[in-house]
Amino acid sequence: MADIRPFRCIRPSKEAASTVAALPYDVYSRKEAKQEVEGNPGSFLAIDRAETQFADDVDLHDPRVYEKARDMLEEWQQKGVFLADGSECYYIYKLTMDGRGQAGIVACASLDDYVNGIIKKHENTREEKEQDRICHVDVTNAHTGPIFLAYRSDHELNRIVEEACMGAPLYDFVAKDGIRHQVWKVADGLAASCIHRRFSEIGPIYIADGHHRAASAVKVGLKRRAGRPGYTGEEPFNYFLSVLFPDDQLMVLPYNRVVKGLNGYGKEAFLEAVAQRFAIEPCREAKGPKARHHMEMYFDGRWYGLAVRPEYIPDGLVEALDVSILQDVLLAPVLGIQDPRTDGRIQFVGGIRGMGELERLVDRGDGAVAFAMYPTSMQELFAVADAGLLMPPKSTWFEPKLRSGLFIHKLS
């Protein structure tokens, strides 16, 4: 059903891999990106966020920024930082965090599968966020950050991945955040054929993380098609860089919320409004929600456990998500957050930052109240995507994050 293909990879030398590998471009602010590159000039972030090579008064979207990214990529290839593999291959990329490993297949996915809904999404994208990566991909002529895809675990693909991981890895290093990164090439031709065949049989693929990168890559591919009426469909620009993981290896963390102000409510009135919608119980300390439809709230220096009252639990796939319930029954009607995508009073905090980060933000005055969520499950993600529906923004946080710069796919 899905056309998942091997590709001719440009990748760092073994000696450079640990230096080059960088977290995704969008986890950094401009200031953080510049600091990161100043501390490690060999980080791929210098190319992914090439504004780091300019003074702060240069606009992020200045054409010179994307031209600099292109030039640096070519320069690093000429210097031998990056090498070009001689044939089209699949790769295995394993990340190990806190003793838990997840191994994905690095490949190229078809833009037609994205357009036709075989590759399913669960979030909307914003055009202004897409535009930056459209320019980056188009000018550098390359996909530099893989899209994080998921599929329902499959015995045959699991076997191929396990066997590939028995060989000597191309890379094996531990990043400064403690996450181990290992990469193997799938050198066996029969195994490669099995990978392609099996993905054509197992059904839909799902975007776990990277909706904006996927949309941008597809739009560049469609632009290239429009400029070449005689295209065959076999050109590299018809495919985008991806890493595909079985769902049972993935860990979804919560995406927590911090809200500035109480929309005119006093402390007691706010707690009364919460208690109308949730069974509320003070906690001695933050433990994190242990079940669906349970949350924890940090307010006025203490934690509270919240259980959604039954009458506030709707039936719909999207409406019954905890992030939807919080939005629909409390954030919108009580705190006045009507559109969480655009309202500056709400801040989204990835679960990897822990409960202490929520306390810190509220205690220092960056928010009046924080909500710790129970994670959205992979089953919920699949169900929403299969129904052709979309989750609210910031519904899922995946860890560990894929590194950019380990695999590069040229569009021509």
Side-chain angles (χ1 to χ4, degrees):
M1 194 170 183
D3 184 9
I4 305 297
R5 296 195 176 193
F7 69 107
R8 195 179 302 273
C9 184
I10 295 172
R11 55 185 180 83
S13 67
K14 188 171 185 177
E15 297 74 22
S18 61
T19 299
V20 167
L23 285 166
Y25 75 97
D26 53 358
V27 305
Y28 296 97
S29 66
R30 181 169 187 167
K31 180 180 179 181
E32 290 169 339
K34 193 156 194 174
Q35 290 173 341
E36 182 72 18
V37 171
E38 286 173 351
N40 178 16
S43 168
F44 194 77
L45 192 62
I47 293 174
D48 247 358
R49 295 285 295 272
E51 76 273 11
T52 58
Q53 309 301 304
F54 294 87
D56 291 344
D57 60 355
V58 174
D59 188 83
L60 289 168
H61 309 301
D62 190 301
R64 291 175 295 170
V65 170
Y66 304 109
E67 291 164 2
K68 183 65 174 178
R70 176 198 62 206
D71 295 344
M72 290 180 69
L73 181 55
E74 293 175 357
E75 178 186 341
W76 288 18
Q77 286 183 253
Q78 292 169 2
K79 288 182 176 179
V81 175
F82 287 111
L83 310 172
D85 276 342
S87 60
E88 294 183 344
C89 297
Y90 294 105
Y91 302 82
I92 307 301
Y93 180 17
K94 184 176 182 179
L95 302 94
T96 304
M97 174 181 172
D98 298 332
R100 184 191 64 83
Q102 60 184 56
I105 297 170
V106 186
C108 276
S110 165
L111 67 83
D112 286 320
D113 287 344
Y114 178 95
V115 171
N116 296 330
I118 294 171
I119 296 174
K120 296 178 180 289
K121 59 184 180 179
H122 66 267
E123 284 185 8
N124 268 326
T125 57
R126 292 165 60 181
E127 187 174 351
E128 66 270 21
K129 287 190 68 176
E130 290 178 20
Q131 194 57 46
D132 169 61
R133 286 301 102 177
I134 288 173
C135 292
H136 195 278
V137 170
D138 203 18
V139 175
T140 61
N141 193 43
H143 300 135
T144 58
I147 315 305
F148 188 155
L149 301 180
Y151 60 93
R152 290 184 173 86
S153 187
D154 176 78
H155 176 75
E156 188 170 356
L157 288 173
N158 291 344
R159 176 186 58 79
I160 293 170
V161 170
E162 290 170 5
E163 290 178 356
C165 292
M166 293 177 183
L170 297 175
Y171 311 130
D172 188 349
F173 62 90
V174 177
K176 64 181 181 181
D177 58 4
I179 296 172
R180 185 181 184 184
H181 300 265
Q182 296 169 284
V183 174
W184 293 264
K185 182 186 290 188
V186 179
D188 184 280
L190 180 59
S193 297
C194 288
I195 289 173
H196 187 265
R197 173 184 56 79
R198 196 69 194 116
F199 275 121
S200 72
E201 297 170 345
I202 63 173
I205 308 294
Y206 303 82
I207 299 176
D209 198 10
H211 283 79
H212 285 90
R213 291 194 296 277
S216 301
V218 168
K219 287 184 177 180
V220 173
L222 294 174
K223 176 184 174 183
R224 298 282 175 102
R225 283 183 174 184
R228 301 186 186 186
Y231 77 90
T232 67
E234 296 298 313
E235 299 87 353
F237 59 73
N238 291 287
Y239 298 84
F240 57 90
L241 181 64
S242 306
V243 186
L244 301 98
F245 291 92
D247 66 316
D248 57 2
Q249 292 186 15
L250 299 180
M251 180 172 68
V252 189
L253 295 181
Y255 223 140
N256 300 319
R257 275 82 168 131
V258 176
V259 178
K260 294 180 180 178
L262 296 178
N263 197 34
Y265 281 81
K267 292 179 181 179
E268 293 302 322
F270 174 67
L271 285 174
E272 288 176 8
V274 174
Q276 290 175 10
R277 297 157 170 81
F278 300 85
I280 182 170
E281 182 178 352
C283 304
R284 289 186 178 181
E285 60 182 1
K287 296 181 179 179
K290 302 303 181 187
R292 191 167 180 248
H293 300 333
H294 287 72
M295 307 166 196
E296 289 188 6
M297 178 178 75
Y298 186 67
F299 175 65
D300 196 25
R302 69 185 305 177
W303 282 97
Y304 298 85
L306 307 181
V308 184
R309 295 191 182 279
E311 61 268 30
Y312 286 99
I313 301 174
D315 294 328
L317 282 173
V318 173
E319 293 82 0
L321 296 172
D322 284 354
V323 288
S324 297
I325 292 172
L326 179 67
Q327 174 62 35
D328 294 341
V329 309
L330 188 62
L331 297 187
V334 176
L335 293 176
I337 307 290
Q338 302 300 330
D339 188 347
R341 294 171 298 179
T342 59
D343 197 313
R345 291 173 295 158
I346 188 168
Q347 179 179 351
F348 300 95
V349 182
I352 192 65
R353 296 170 68 179
M355 304 287 277
E357 177 70 1
L358 301 181
E359 292 185 13
R360 187 182 70 85
L361 290 170
V362 172
D363 288 346
R364 77 178 189 185
D366 288 350
V369 60
F371 300 94
M373 310 300 295
Y374 186 71
T376 303
S377 70
M378 287 300 300
Q379 290 69 34
E380 288 174 320
L381 186 156
F382 285 172
V384 169
D386 284 338
L389 302 173
L390 299 172
M391 291 184 176
K394 311 299 184 184
S395 294
T396 56
W397 181 281
F398 286 90
E399 285 287 345
K401 298 293 186 187
L402 309 183
R403 274 12 184 209
S404 296
L406 291 177
F407 313 97
I408 296 172
H409 171 239
K410 283 282 192 177
L411 275 64
S412 61

